[in-house]
Amino acid sequence: MKKILTIIILLFTAMISCNKNNNTTGSIGTVGEITINPRKFTPLSAVYTRDSVNTSPVKVTVKGQHGEEDLVHTYPAGYGTEFPIHGMYQNINNTIIVDDGGVIKEQNHNPGMISMSKGHALKEKYEPVKGYDASVKENYPNNPDMFFVGVLASQTDPTAWEGMIAISKNGYVRYVNTAINYISRFAVDNNRFVLYNMEGNEGIYDFLGKRLFTTKNHMHHELVKKGNNYIYLANSDWGWEDRLIEMDANGNIVKDLYFGDLLRKAVGTDNEAELNTVVYDEKNKFNGNTKTDWFHANSCIYDSSFDTLYVSSRHLGVLAVKYTSWELIWWMADDTLSTTSGTAYGEKPGNTFLKDVPSLQKYRVRGVAINDGPKNQHGLLLLADGNLAMFDNQGDELTSSTGSRYVEYKITKDSSGSWTATKADEYRDPSLYSKIVSDVDLTGDNKENLLITYGAWQARILEMTKQNKTLLFRLDLPFLSYRTEKMPLYYESGRKYPEDSNLKQPLVH
């Protein structure tokens, strides 16, 4: 028996040795080699794989083309065994170089032209409408910011969900990820870059398309960090995006909350009947058993300093909620808010709103919020001073003569307990309108610039100074995009990054 066991161990040892000598496949890629598109989701990326954790820095380079600088990143000693490489160009020969402690690996690759899964053939270059001033110095020439945008539908094919791409400031496509979809958000999480795939039971992915965290109950539109936990918007059995779930890092649901319950608690048991033309949930099913999109939450922010959750309900307005006790603090919406009536997704049953519920009037934010308030808004952004900004779609029409806008409100409470909004900032171009989706971020080392995405039906991406609204950059794209993030391809500790959610508690300090 001992002899047989010894033979088995010897054979197993020999097999391992043979495998190492023949550069067999590791977890991804081939050990000791550069592997292109290792997970089959990122055709402009690669990975270099080692058989052991690196004891010396590993430097990866993609040689620049079309007058752009080389993309270079150095992974520190102790990083790991897999080293992602990003930034190749389409339809041209790319040179990738890896310096592994003095051992040089080099590979050439032409990815050709990329056609996305639903038929979008990407261009090599999307020419900016307005490019950056050539005199402006690039702070990180070998790891510059790029524009990460979702490739979604066209107006003729609104179901064609695709993936995420990154476009350089000169307009070249430098990154593609088809593992995720158009609602995805770029984030910094535990000192690394990740992509939040906010549709279905998806979750968080790395830049090579590996799923790192999985959500439940059909997440949609938004996922944000709350300490070490995650908060996201989800569907209920009787509504779309009328539910909020908090999960811990192990995927356990620790809170399961409903916006119908929030409003019922606000009006009180004696006045619940007032909600019967606004709230359609388990307690008040539309026509007996029809699922409706009565709330449609599309953005949320958690402010831990006041335990406040800010929520955008596309169909009803913006709400502030005491999170732990699940109590309404205030709501705001323009008097002329209107949403397409119906029972399909994106439509709201009936033409009644929170302003039509008497018991909710004490919670209403007044001042400019009544006649210059948000309508069908997206992309909430909490500023460091507590002001609340957003992409205000400003209507539910296919076209608009007044356009959508960036708007920022200062919301205060007086001695009587009433809430009042004043307008702190605004940008509106009447020629730019997006009925749905869209986003606002703050960019620049001091968050001095605005990044505005008019998402539908063709994305228009504008960066401008926040103070003077001087246009710095504009890129128009031929597809719908939910949001845009301006970020580099590689995370660097200590670098300042843009903010798209919460400047009071940014993810990078």
Side-chain angles (χ1 to χ4, degrees), residues 236-412:
S236 72
D237 291 339
W238 299 103
W240 285 281
E241 292 94 69
D242 60 347
R243 182 180 188 179
L244 183 138
I245 292 174
E246 180 178 343
M247 294 183 73
D248 64 21
N250 296 317
N252 302 308
I253 294 177
V254 297
K255 281 185 180 291
D256 192 352
L257 303 164
Y258 297 83
F259 292 107
D261 292 340
L262 173 77
L263 296 175
R264 292 183 185 283
K265 190 173 184 179
V267 302
T269 305
D270 293 341
N271 301 307
E272 277 194 277
E274 295 178 7
L275 295 171
N276 284 346
T277 59
V278 176
V279 175
Y280 295 100
D281 59 5
E282 182 68 27
K283 296 180 180 178
N284 181 39
K285 299 171 185 175
F286 186 78
N287 284 347
N289 59 3
T290 302
K291 184 171 182 172
T292 69
D293 194 11
W294 67 273
F295 193 80
H296 198 111
N298 59 28
S299 179
C300 66
I301 296 168
Y302 179 68
D303 178 5
S304 63
S305 58
F306 294 104
D307 188 35
T308 300
L309 181 79
Y310 297 96
V311 179
S312 166
S313 163
R314 182 185 184 274
H315 293 171
L316 295 179
V318 179
L319 296 81
V321 181
K322 197 69 173 176
Y323 181 67
T324 300
S325 58
W326 201 237
E327 294 177 291
L328 182 65
I329 300 173
W330 54 251
W331 65 269
M332 64 184 297
D334 193 273
D335 259 352
T336 62
L337 171 64
S338 179
T339 303
T340 303
S341 295
T343 57
Y345 180 77
E347 299 177 344
K348 175 185 168 297
N351 196 33
T352 54
F353 299 87
L354 298 183
K355 66 182 176 64
D356 301 308
V357 181
S359 298
L360 290 178
Q361 299 319 297
K362 63 183 178 182
Y363 299 98
R364 187 172 191 182
V365 178
R366 302 191 178 274
V368 299
I370 292 179
N371 296 314
D372 196 12
K375 295 188 289 187
N376 310 114
Q377 68 291 320
H378 290 74
L380 299 184
L381 175 62
L382 185 63
L383 278 63
D385 60 6
N387 286 358
L388 188 64
M390 64 200 73
F391 185 96
D392 186 5
N393 299 74
Q394 272 291 294
D396 200 29
E397 300 83 25
L398 290 176
T399 60
S400 168
S401 61
T402 56
S404 303
R405 63 176 177 169
Y406 165 85
V407 66
E408 178 185 327
Y409 294 104
K410 182 178 180 64
I411 301 170
T412 57

Side-chain angles (χ1 to χ4, degrees), residues 433-438 453-460 479-481:
Y433 173 71
S434 180
K435 174 185 175 180
I436 57 173
V437 299
S438 305
T453 301
Y454 299 79
W457 281 99
Q458 295 180 329
R460 281 73 47 93
F479 41 77
L480 184 151
S481 179

Side-chain angles (χ1 to χ4, degrees), residues 52-67:
S52 60
V53 175
N54 60 311
T55 57
S56 301
V58 173
K59 184 170 77 171
V60 299
T61 300
V62 173
K63 300 296 291 183
Q65 308 274 8
H66 309 296

Side-chain angles (χ1 to χ4, degrees), residues 31 33 36 86 133-134 166 201 366 373 376 422 504:
V31 172
E33 301 296 338
I36 305 297
H86 305 295
D133 188 332
N201 296 325
R366 302 191 178 274
N376 310 114
T422 55
K504 291 186 71 177

Side-chain angles (χ1 to χ4, degrees), residues 45 86-87 143-151 163-169 174-177 180 182 184-187 193-195 207 439 441 451 453 461 475 477 479 481-491:
S45 298
H86 305 295
N143 187 23
D145 286 330
M146 299 191 182
F147 295 93
F148 285 77
V149 297
V151 179
M164 179 174 276
I165 65 174
I167 300 174
S168 73
K169 68 178 184 179
R174 304 294 303 274
Y175 174 80
V176 174
N177 190 329
I180 56 178
Y182 78 108
S184 292
R185 175 170 163 254
F186 194 122
F193 287 154
V194 295
L195 299 170
F207 266 34
D439 189 28
D441 298 348
L451 183 66
T453 301
I461 300 165
L475 179 66
L477 299 171
F479 41 77
S481 179
Y482 189 95
R483 54 183 19 144
T484 301
E485 314 285 0
K486 187 183 180 187
M487 288 283 195
L489 281 166
Y490 295 102
Y491 176 81

